Amino acid sequence: MTKAIEILASLANDTTRSVDDLSVEELNSIAALKAEAAEIKPIMTITEPNEPTEPTPDPEPEKNPKVA
């Protein structure tokens, strides 16, 4: 996984390189990282705690200083 991150970082830092320049091994490393990320994505969901009986507050109206 670390190798894939290093490859992606090098692509980000060197704008003359592209994905077409990567070896099969490097592409496989990135594919493995993507597959691993897809597995953990469901557990990374962030939810706001709320009470079902608690009323939701009305949103504040947007303030527009240019109102005539």
Side-chain angles (χ1 to χ4, degrees):
M1 181 163 103
T2 304
K3 183 176 179 174
I5 294 171
E6 290 172 0
I7 295 165
L8 294 171
S10 71
L11 286 172
N13 291 328
D14 184 0
T15 58
T16 62
R17 288 185 70 196
S18 74
V19 176
D20 298 331
D21 299 331
L22 299 178
S23 69
V24 173
E25 180 184 329
E26 291 171 323
L27 290 172
N28 288 340
S29 180
I30 292 171
L33 177 65
K34 288 169 65 177
E36 191 172 319
E39 289 177 12
I40 64 170
K41 183 180 177 183
I43 62 172
M44 294 180 64
T45 303
I46 298 173
T47 57
E48 294 284 334
N50 62 355
E51 291 291 323
T53 59
E54 188 176 301
T56 57
D58 292 334
E60 288 187 30
E62 291 184 23
K63 296 177 181 174
N64 188 351
K66 295 183 179 183
V67 174

